[in-house]
Amino acid sequence: MNVLGISAFYHDSAAALVHDGVIVNAAQEERFTRKKHDPGFPAQAIRWCLADAGLQPRDIDRIAFYDKPFLKFERLLETYLAFAPRGFRSFRTAMPVWLSEKLFQKDMLLKELRAIDPALGEAERLLFAEHHFSHAASAFYPSPFEQAAVLTMDGVGEWATTSAGLGHGSGLTITKEIHFPHSLGLLYSAFTYYTGFKVNSGEYKVMGLAPYGEPKYARTIFDNLIDLKADGSFRLNLDYFDYCTGLTMTNPRFDALFGAPPRRPEVWLTQREMDLAASIQAVTEEVVLRLARGLVAETGMRHLCLAGGVALNCVANGKVLRDGIVDDIWIQPAAGDAGGAIGAALAACHQHEKLPRVSTNGPDGMRGAYLGPAFAQAEVERRLTDAGARFSIASDDALIDSTARALSDGQAVGWFQGRMEFGPRALGARSILADPRAPAMQKTLNLKVKYRESFRPFAPAVLREDVADWFDLDKDSPYMLLVAPVAEPHRRGMSAAEEALFGIDKLNVPRSDIPAVTHVDYSARIQTVHAATNPRFHALIDRFKALTGCPILVNTSFNVRGEPIVGTPEDAFRCFMGTDLDLLAIGNCLLRKSDQDAALKQDYRDAFELD
């Protein structure tokens, strides 16, 4: 049975194809349209999924959408009635869109599907899954666990903002929920807005900013904004928020509580924003810990699966793992709305069609998240030639050796290999790589390559067999979703003057043997690299280790700020020519910046809308 899963119309639209419960492929629409977090119908992603699998539209048995529009409309109406007349502005803004489009989303979906091919637009094939069930299915079914507790947390689906459940074999049940407007995701997004970042894309910036501050406002948050119970259940004090009745996240009462209006975007960050980030991060970690502890105590499960946007908070995930309440944790790499396409398709297979769950061949059912488009060598060469690129062709061994030597010499490398990743993280297929031992590399990559805020940390990609020697972690972390401290033997002692530094002044102080991937609190967002799922990337790091003694590379996504991760060789070449990258490896093609036609260099700094 072939099931096409779709997420669309809110943010991070995506499509995924599942055959008899096995994930075949998946891709986000933004990688094709080049519009970051593209919410539109994923027509290009769907076409690619079918073509990649060699299927015709008539071969699709079911099409599963990741939420239920009528339930969302019900929430909109009930929220307006509960807060009337205060919510009229928000209601007036949303209602025309709902009445013209979203209320008739089934018809709109069928129309969009028919535009791809009439065979896709047969109404009897279309199924709808609840939003949080899609998240839960995306977390449990691809996991390596036969049974597990399942926790999903985000802003809001239809009504649910947090759900807890139990997976066993092909069965999955949601046992309890927290409903809108009480939402951990929206609480975090309120502080994202208040500290001057963009909601639904800037939350990870708040997480990265937090270690520069002190959680001075955590008590204020607990005393005024959230009533948190021992089992992790909570309620928000809606007097301080405006997302129910207005068009912003917070209101003047929130401003008065924290002593100032929201920071304007792109204005210089102060210690206050850093302390606010540290505070909401500390609160979030405590809520997630209590939710996990409560769920494990209730179910007796020793394995935990996570999904939903809050599950991308890798610091909180690391705290759960180190707490010892579970033996292991598995997080859906596309934990946000994009992953709902996979979850909806898997829910259709196992819940609607009652197909048995298929045991995973490998560490899990996501195949390393390498589920997107790939390009044959001949096609890479043709595309690069048409783009005006100058390149040499290397054997596999020569490519690995040349790239590893360039990295050891301090060069920044664009790395475009194999299938594209599904989800927000580059995992060694569409990556920018560098030497983690270089003290200035974090700042250099942020300002000269990524064109983004200098405070943002980079992740270490480390050979799985070496992770415990370098970090306080001896578990798989293939999706860059666990944070752990750098191991003590690799830390550098701080002088009294360095210890006394505050905020962004901490940035340029090397704190370990791998300063480019060591955050100011000695933490690192770890990706373990496995030979079974990405042999070429594993071989590159292994060669770098042979040259330097270090089994780690800086790994960040191949893009600039505001740009989706590169999807094609042409995207990669444009980004290469618009940044200070030194070397580009695409398939077996090697491109050196010094060899390129200077006329093709682009001003890439302002090419994309800032996220």
Side-chain angles (χ1 to χ4, degrees), residues 64-280:
F65 192 66
Y66 81 130
D67 70 9
K68 294 189 174 182
F70 275 108
L71 288 179
K72 283 197 171 181
F73 184 66
E74 175 188 87
R75 169 169 56 82
L76 179 71
L77 288 177
E78 290 198 22
T79 300
Y80 169 65
L81 292 172
F83 289 91
R86 283 194 298 138
F88 182 70
R89 283 180 64 229
S90 176
F91 180 79
R92 183 179 60 191
T93 301
M95 192 52 57
V97 178
W98 273 96
L99 291 179
S100 63
E101 296 178 8
K102 294 185 178 180
L103 188 57
F104 305 101
Q105 207 161 83
K106 181 177 180 179
D107 291 339
M108 187 165 66
L109 279 168
L110 292 172
K111 179 181 177 182
E112 295 280 7
L113 288 164
R114 289 180 191 125
I116 297 173
D117 190 283
L120 286 177
E122 297 172 2
E124 61 271 16
R125 287 197 278 180
L126 185 59
L127 303 172
F128 294 84
E130 285 198 30
H131 185 95
H132 269 256
F133 197 91
S134 294
H135 276 320
S138 79
F140 175 63
Y141 288 126
S143 80
F145 309 136
E146 172 61 21
Q147 56 183 7
V150 183
L151 179 61
T152 70
M153 304 161 288
D154 65 5
V156 61
E158 295 89 1
W159 277 105
T161 66
T162 302
S163 70
L166 186 63
H168 185 96
S170 59
L172 177 61
T173 305
I174 302 297
T175 56
K176 57 184 179 181
E177 298 177 334
I178 297 173
H179 283 182
F180 181 87
H182 307 288
S183 167
L184 180 59
L186 290 176
L187 175 65
Y188 205 94
S189 291
F191 280 86
T192 301
Y193 162 80
Y194 189 67
T195 51
F197 301 114
K198 191 175 287 188
V199 172
N200 288 332
S201 69
E203 284 77 6
Y204 59 96
K205 299 182 187 181
V206 175
M207 183 178 67
L209 188 63
Y212 294 97
E214 299 293 332
K216 295 179 178 178
Y217 302 100
R219 188 73 264 156
T220 301
I221 296 170
F222 279 123
D223 288 345
N224 296 276
L225 301 185
I226 184 169
D227 178 18
L228 177 63
K229 304 302 183 186
D231 65 352
S233 59
F234 60 86
R235 292 181 64 82
L236 300 186
N237 183 348
L238 300 176
D239 293 341
Y240 292 90
F241 302 96
D242 212 19
Y243 56 78
C244 289
T245 60
L247 301 176
T248 59
M249 295 299 298
T250 61
N251 61 26
R253 189 168 179 178
F254 191 102
D255 300 350
L257 182 65
F258 295 102
R263 168 183 168 261
R264 285 181 289 118
E266 307 308 316
V267 170
W268 189 259
L269 285 161
T270 69
Q271 188 64 45
R272 179 172 170 274
E273 282 79 43
M274 298 172 201
D275 293 339
L276 285 163
S279 302
I280 189 56

Side-chain angles (χ1 to χ4, degrees), residues 31 375 383 416 430 566-574 586:
R31 308 292 167 85
F375 297 85
R383 286 170 175 257
F416 187 110
R430 305 290 184 270
V566 296
T568 66
E570 295 92 333
D571 295 336
F573 182 64
R574 280 192 296 270
I586 307 184

Side-chain angles (χ1 to χ4, degrees), residues 47-63:
R47 289 189 179 98
W48 173 80
C49 285
L50 293 175
D52 176 71
L55 296 178
Q56 297 298 317
R58 64 178 177 273
D59 298 323
I60 299 300
D61 300 290
R62 294 288 185 185
I63 299 169

Side-chain angles (χ1 to χ4, degrees), residues 489-501:
H490 295 287
R491 296 189 188 188
R492 173 187 172 272
M494 308 291 286
S495 69
E498 290 169 339
E499 291 281 9
L501 293 173

